[in-house]
Amino acid sequence: MTAPLPADIPEIPVLPGVAANAAAIVPVVPADAVVPRVRRPLAAAFRLLVALTATAGVVLALVLGTPSRVMGHFTILSSVVVAAVFAVSAWRTWTARRPVPPSVTAGTMLYAVGAGLVQHVILANGSSAFAMAGDTGTLTGWPALTNHLLHTAVPVMAVLDWFLLTRPGPLRLHTAVAWLVLPAAYLAFTLARPNTQARYPYPFLDVSQHGYVEVLGNATVLGLACYALALLLVALDHIRPVPRRHRPPENRISSPATGGLK
């Protein structure tokens, strides 16, 4: 039973500058007080492995080839992005910090997968008009290992991380357009760089052989294909299931009740 409030309680004095905004003051409970941050060592270890794999591929490519020519490949650029993003993601996962933004994670995977598809479908395909002699299955030893690391292992591992370890964004349609900025900047840089032997790293971008009209047509087709892949990524992000957690969140504000309400 509740006793009535006394009628002679003195009024609380008004504090200057507080009364006007008293209605706007709303107590905020930190999200970590309700849903605690959880360290995920296995996910962190896998993401670190992805970063190390991408780094190893880039280092091997630089050691085995001419650095000025190697750095002109989009595969190297995308692998550097993968190494940086997954290293940060591994650290944040290990320390239970806020994860990398979903648009950054998905965009990184898009670049890795796109580079791998171009390699396997166009450059390493003997029936392709732009097949490269050294990429049609004749590589052996360290060059073959480098090729598999950059064009197969890294894309597959990025896809596995996105599907199995990363929560859905959700991603937006305008994000797919934003992801095209990096490939467009790479194209502009490749066509505008000084006229050296390493100027055109891919046959479909070789202006000296195909001319600007055909090269821009090739770039448009690849850009549309990349945009279609980005839209597919956004659609999959809205329908894919949320990865399961081994440890359910718990309420850290109050202890579990030991009896009925009193």
Side-chain angles (χ1 to χ4, degrees):
M1 186 172 178
T2 305
L5 294 176
D8 56 347
I9 295 180
E11 294 184 357
I12 299 176
V14 178
L15 299 178
V18 175
N21 300 325
I25 300 177
V26 178
V28 178
V29 178
D32 295 338
V34 181
V35 182
R37 293 175 177 176
V38 179
R39 293 175 64 246
R40 301 164 58 198
L42 293 180
F46 181 79
R47 288 168 178 170
L48 179 60
L49 179 62
V50 177
L52 293 177
T53 303
T55 302
V58 172
V59 171
L60 285 175
L62 291 173
V63 171
L64 297 174
T66 305
S68 60
R69 185 171 182 82
V70 169
M71 292 303 298
H73 288 78
F74 185 80
T75 299
I76 301 300
L77 175 61
S78 65
S79 298
V80 170
V81 173
V82 168
V85 170
F86 273 84
V88 173
S89 181
W91 174 72
R92 291 189 175 186
T93 305
W94 178 263
T95 56
R97 296 178 181 269
R98 185 183 299 274
V100 175
S103 59
V104 175
T105 303
T108 301
M109 182 191 67
L110 175 67
Y111 300 146
V113 172
L117 289 177
V118 169
Q119 170 68 20
H120 291 291
V121 176
I122 299 177
L123 302 178
N125 185 1
S127 59
S128 172
F130 301 109
M132 299 179 68
D135 291 327
T136 56
T138 60
L139 295 177
T140 58
W142 290 107
L145 175 62
T146 304
N147 182 62
H148 287 304
L149 286 178
L150 295 177
H151 298 117
T152 303
V154 169
V156 170
M157 295 171 77
V159 170
L160 290 177
D161 174 84
W162 190 71
F163 271 104
L164 302 179
L165 301 177
T166 306
R167 296 178 62 88
L171 303 175
R172 303 292 184 230
L173 288 177
H174 63 81
T175 309
V177 179
W179 288 334
L180 299 181
V181 172
L182 182 62
Y186 170 80
L187 174 65
F189 171 77
T190 300
L191 297 182
R193 67 187 302 188
N195 190 9
T196 62
Q197 184 180 2
R199 181 179 181 181
Y200 306 117
Y202 301 109
F204 48 81
L205 296 181
D206 194 340
V207 176
S208 62
Q209 183 177 356
H210 303 289
Y212 279 100
V213 175
E214 185 174 348
V215 165
L216 291 177
N218 296 335
T220 301
V221 172
L222 287 176
L224 291 176
C226 183
Y227 183 61
L229 184 60
L231 292 178
L232 176 62
L233 197 61
V234 173
L236 290 176
D237 185 70
H238 284 77
I239 63 176
R240 68 189 180 102
V242 178
R244 300 181 62 181
R245 297 287 187 266
H246 295 288
R247 179 177 165 186
E250 58 185 10
N251 188 339
R252 297 195 301 180
I253 294 180
S254 59
S255 59
T258 57
L261 295 177
K262 303 195 177 187

